Amino acid sequence: MIYLDNAATSFPKPETVKEAVRQWLETGCGSPGRGRYGAARQADRDVWEIRKKLARFFGSKEAERLIFTYSATDALNLAIKGFVNRGDHVIISGMEHNSVVRPLRHLEKEGVISLTVVPCDEAGYINQEKLAEAFTPKTRLVVISHASNVTGALQPVADIGRLARRRGAYLLVDAAQTAGNVPVDLEALQADMIACAGHKGLLGLPGTGLLVIGPRVETLRPLRQGGTGYNSQSELQPDYWPEALEAGTFNMPGIISLGKGLSFIEEQGLEPVARRGEELIGMLWNGLARLPNVRLYGPQPHQPRVAILSFNIEGWEAEDVAAVLQHNYGIQVRAGLHCAPLAHRTIGTHPSGTVRVSPGFFTETHEIEQLVQAVRHISFTQVTWMPA
Ligand SMILES: Cc1ncc(COP(=O)(O)O)c(C=O)c1O
């Protein structure tokens, strides 16, 4: 089996990640703040160590501004709904994922905010002139995906952040497709909040995510209230971070996996990880670009991008290509709209979508060659039979 769907979730996970989760399960399943016995105290220490490590990784000086969530979606909902006020205007790009679009469209429908979608070009890069024109005196928040989960296009986030600051607005970066793959730093990106998943480039388990809150953000309304393991005498949610924003039992195996995933990436070095992604995407692009009836979408390999590539084969539905890749060649990719219909409208592939290939840390070059070879076969085949 060849796994090329790391943009959905990374696979495999490092051995150290698997081992740490197994150990947690075997040594007491401690939960931070829930008990004075050994496993619970150890969990307390682990969560703080991992929180500090992650905060440093994202360029935050204050670990209490690193909030554990259950997914990137959860982090984005917290950042958006916890931050905007009635009457605010919000700007997004035409490449956003539904986990940004849906919470904002919901708030718009409820009459809370107004929303502007700034167009992007065919590769997925935002139109910076149109962005500058989109600001109004009421603009409070700009939400932008650092890299598109459809084309891999890396947005000029630092420029967008500077512009937002000049216009008195804040920047929330959706780093779901970049955290662990390329540097993601609060200051370098001029970001006010960074939301991401823990189960993609950071190599942790599903059920993990985080929100990094920058120093300019002073308040954030919690999405939920509940037990925090501390100050239980109070019937009110604590008003200090992180407890104010982290109600309920922690996803301990997930957080532990995230800590080990991060250590693994730090041992490899983020620069080599990013270079490896560039190398694989270059191979993939060059291999597929030679096939006459294959259409590639997104930026060229030398443009700012991450290792995600979308394509279609003339005369084939994307879903059928993915089914044949899986059934006949044992290659797993994702086809369709990738939870990002807006992005597919932007690149002209709505409603049928594209076939998306996303190599990961453990992808070997021969696996990319096999994919290219398989697509070559399929592209010369008439659609006569489809696996059930
Ligand atoms: C750009 C982008 N944002 C947000 C998400 C949502 O991530 P999660 O499934 O962890 O909530 C994804 C997931 O694919 C994504 O690609």
Side-chain angles (χ1 to χ4, degrees), residues 162-186:
R162 271 187 284 276
L163 177 63
R165 283 183 192 195
R166 281 203 302 278
R167 299 299 185 90
Y170 292 75
L171 176 67
L172 163 61
V173 176
D174 172 0
Q177 294 300 344
T178 50
N181 293 325
V182 295
V184 179
D185 181 273
L186 263 181

Side-chain angles (χ1 to χ4, degrees), residues 53-130:
K53 215 168 136 90
L54 282 163
R56 271 199 305 275
F57 183 74
F58 288 100
S60 167
K61 294 184 181 68
E62 296 161 272
E64 55 281 7
R65 284 174 171 263
L66 186 302
I67 308 300
F68 286 113
T69 65
Y70 298 104
S71 58
T73 304
D74 195 26
L76 287 161
N77 270 270
L78 172 59
I80 291 169
K81 294 178 183 157
F83 187 74
V84 297
N85 297 313
R86 188 165 286 279
D88 284 347
H89 172 242
V90 178
I91 298 174
I92 61 172
S93 85
M95 289 303 287
E96 298 311 306
H97 189 275
N98 269 348
S99 55
V100 166
V101 178
R102 286 182 173 173
L104 286 166
R105 286 289 184 211
H106 171 77
L107 291 173
E108 183 189 41
K109 194 162 156 243
E110 297 282 300
V112 179
I113 60 153
S114 56
L115 184 64
T116 299
V117 180
V118 175
C120 296
D121 66 17
E122 261 204 340
Y125 295 119
I126 195 163
N127 181 323
Q128 296 203 52
E129 270 172 36
K130 294 262 188 269

Side-chain angles (χ1 to χ4, degrees), residues 187-204:
E187 183 59 32
L189 296 182
Q190 296 283 290
D192 294 297
M193 291 182 276
I194 296 173
C196 71
H199 60 98
K200 300 180 193 269
L202 290 172
L203 304 175

Side-chain angles (χ1 to χ4, degrees), residues 45-56 66 68 252 254-260 262:
R45 285 192 290 273
D46 287 345
V47 165
W48 268 101
E49 278 314 306
I50 296 167
R51 195 191 297 279
K52 282 196 281 191
K53 215 168 136 90
L54 282 163
R56 271 199 305 275
L66 186 302
F68 286 113
M252 270 314 287
I255 291 173
I256 282 175
S257 73
L258 191 46
K260 289 293 176 191
L262 179 61

Side-chain angles (χ1 to χ4, degrees), residues 164-377:
R165 283 183 192 195
R166 281 203 302 278
R167 299 299 185 90
Y170 292 75
L171 176 67
L172 163 61
V173 176
D174 172 0
Q177 294 300 344
T178 50
N181 293 325
V182 295
V184 179
D185 181 273
L186 263 181
E187 183 59 32
L189 296 182
Q190 296 283 290
D192 294 297
M193 291 182 276
I194 296 173
C196 71
H199 60 98
K200 300 180 193 269
L202 290 172
L203 304 175
L205 296 185
T208 55
L210 59 92
L211 178 68
V212 190
I213 308 170
R216 294 199 324 144
V217 176
E218 284 166 6
T219 55
L220 212 52
R221 288 181 299 275
L223 294 189
R224 53 180 163 260
Q225 287 78 25
T228 57
Y230 297 99
N231 286 326
S232 299
Q233 72 282 2
S234 172
E235 291 187 5
L236 291 175
Q237 189 74 12
D239 57 3
Y240 48 88
W241 295 343
E243 279 86 343
L245 303 172
E246 289 179 343
T249 296
F250 284 89
N251 172 8
M252 270 314 287
I255 291 173
I256 282 175
S257 73
L258 191 46
K260 289 293 176 191
L262 179 61
S263 301
F264 181 87
I265 290 157
E266 288 186 325
E267 280 156 26
Q268 312 300 318
L270 205 43
E271 290 302 330
V273 170
R275 268 204 307 280
R276 174 87 181 132
E278 280 168 26
E279 189 191 323
L280 292 174
I281 213 70
M283 264 187 82
L284 186 58
W285 181 284
N286 294 332
L288 295 179
R290 276 199 280 273
L291 305 177
N293 40 359
V294 171
R295 162 109 200 250
L296 301 179
Y297 301 92
Q300 300 273 331
H302 61 272
Q303 290 182 288
R305 57 154 35 257
V306 295
I308 295 173
L309 190 147
S310 266
F311 73 90
N312 272 322
I313 303 178
E314 218 174 277
W316 283 76
E317 285 294 323
E319 295 281 5
D320 294 339
V321 174
V324 174
L325 280 172
Q326 153 71 27
H327 191 272
N328 292 7
Y329 302 90
I331 300 176
Q332 298 180 332
V333 294
R334 174 133 174 241
L337 293 177
H338 314 100
C339 299
L342 183 58
H344 280 281
R345 277 203 189 89
T346 294
I347 67 167
T349 49
H350 191 274
S352 51
T354 55
V355 184
R356 182 184 74 180
V357 185
S358 51
F361 180 85
F362 294 101
T363 303
E364 309 261 358
T365 49
H366 74 85
E367 295 178 310
I368 298 291
E369 284 159 7
Q370 275 175 259
L371 182 272
V372 171
Q373 199 55 10
V375 175
R376 201 176 81 80
H377 288 159

